[in-house]
Amino acid sequence: MFSTLQEEAALRGRKGPPPPLASLAPPAARSRRFARSNCACGGSCPKCSEEKRPAGPRQARDGDQAPVADQAEVLAEPPATPAYRDCSERITGITDANERLETARQRAREFVGAARRALGAAPVAGTTYETALGRHFIAPSAAQRATIEDNYRQILGTLVVSNYICNSQNICEGEQAFWIEADDLVHVCRPFWELSPTCRAIILIHEGAHDVGIGVAGAHPPNRGSAQYPTGNTAAPAGQTTAGRMDNPDAYAFFAAHIWRDTDTGRSCF
Ligand SMILES: [Zn+2]
Ligand SMILES: [Zn+2]
């Protein structure tokens, strides 16, 4: 189903328009953008170290009012928006890249926290959790659920300010974002800024999964929206395995969003 060009694009990152001619690309753009990291950090190396504070309480969902108990926090001085590396207007083409990236990072952390909390228990019939587990991870055993939870723990370690850099159109080849082994950073490209807030968080989890070694060996695993991993209220196609989904960055991204939002998204986030 994929053309060769699309397959090559999938290896570099999330789907985008066909890349420019190689002769126009700078040297950095020619290296594979999803190779396994040498850092083997597991969330402990300086670059990938987990933030010291634990995952916070679940924040209000889209459109929800903050719970009364959170009023004091809401009224307190908001923390300053971090300055992400190279996320200037000149590079990103927008004036609020730091704000958008910070919002996405915090939301991604919320998604991952919700997923980790859910995975501690076996699914109960008729719950969103049961539906989400089957749709994104097929039928994991208790031991596999524990492994998935540990992978989320490592992904949380990538969702830190120092793990990101904004890139210009000269370096990006149409990706929303990509991770590369060379600098162990998640590179954020202009198409990322046009995504919905939910999809921006999904993309950060996807790239964080690559950062911890998921979906970096061999061909890129099927992204959400493909025949192997369709969007919407659709059962997993035959042939999809738990082991395969456990190595699929989108499974982590879309499961976590599904749990936190208490409903799946119909978007493929492309
Ligand atoms: Zn990917
Ligand atoms: Zn790393």
Side-chain angles (χ1 to χ4, degrees):
M1 154 179 191
F2 275 4
S3 73
T4 301
L5 265 186
Q6 284 173 318
E7 280 181 8
E8 288 180 2
L11 284 176
R12 274 193 304 277
R14 298 277 303 181
K15 186 171 70 182
L21 294 174
S23 60
L24 297 177
R30 287 200 293 271
S31 62
R32 187 175 183 199
R33 297 192 166 181
F34 284 138
R36 182 176 296 274
S37 172
N38 280 334
C39 84
C41 56
S44 58
C45 77
K47 185 169 287 179
C48 302
S49 65
E50 203 163 341
E51 287 188 351
K52 293 299 173 254
R53 63 187 178 81
R58 177 180 179 139
Q59 301 298 305
R61 292 181 188 148
D62 293 348
D64 282 354
Q65 295 297 320
V68 172
D70 287 345
Q71 283 302 311
E73 272 184 61
V74 169
L75 295 173
E77 184 89 2
T81 302
Y84 287 88
R85 189 182 315 196
D86 291 352
C87 293
S88 64
E89 181 177 1
R90 184 177 63 81
I91 297 285
T92 65
I94 57 174
T95 58
D96 60 346
N98 286 306
E99 287 80 1
R100 291 193 209 185
L101 188 48
E102 178 63 3
T103 300
R105 186 182 70 90
Q106 294 291 351
R107 184 162 299 199
R109 294 183 65 87
E110 293 287 335
F111 285 7
V112 168
R116 293 181 70 189
R117 285 190 293 277
L119 286 162
V124 174
T127 60
T128 298
Y129 173 42
E130 183 201 36
T131 301
L133 209 53
R135 189 168 299 169
H136 306 288
F137 288 112
I138 318 300
S141 66
Q144 286 171 320
R145 286 204 324 270
T147 299
I148 293 167
E149 196 277 336
D150 191 65
N151 287 337
Y152 274 120
R153 180 188 61 78
Q154 295 185 54
I155 290 169
L156 188 65
T158 75
L159 296 168
V160 295
V161 173
S162 60
N163 207 32
Y164 298 95
I165 185 169
C166 288
N167 282 169
S168 69
Q169 300 287 68
N170 291 334
I171 292 178
C172 298
E173 297 181 351
E175 304 95 336
Q176 298 155 331
F178 59 90
W179 173 84
I180 51 173
E181 177 183 8
D183 57 13
D184 197 13
L185 293 175
V186 173
H187 295 245
V188 181
C189 298
R190 289 192 176 185
F192 178 86
W193 309 118
E194 307 311 318
L195 295 167
S196 72
T198 292
C199 284
R200 284 186 206 135
I202 282 172
I203 298 306
L204 295 190
I205 296 171
H206 178 112
E207 302 308 331
H210 281 306
D211 189 350
V212 302
I214 293 165
V216 297
H220 192 285
N223 286 314
R224 192 94 197 262
S226 66
Q228 302 98 312
Y229 191 0
T231 54
N233 185 13
T234 309
Q240 293 299 297
T241 64
T242 295
R245 290 295 178 86
M246 285 173 70
D247 191 48
N248 186 326
D250 262 5
Y252 292 87
F254 283 86
F255 173 82
H258 192 156
I259 294 296
W260 186 87
R261 301 170 72 249
D262 205 25
T263 185
D264 202 357
T265 176
R267 300 170 191 262
S268 67
C269 294
F270 284 124

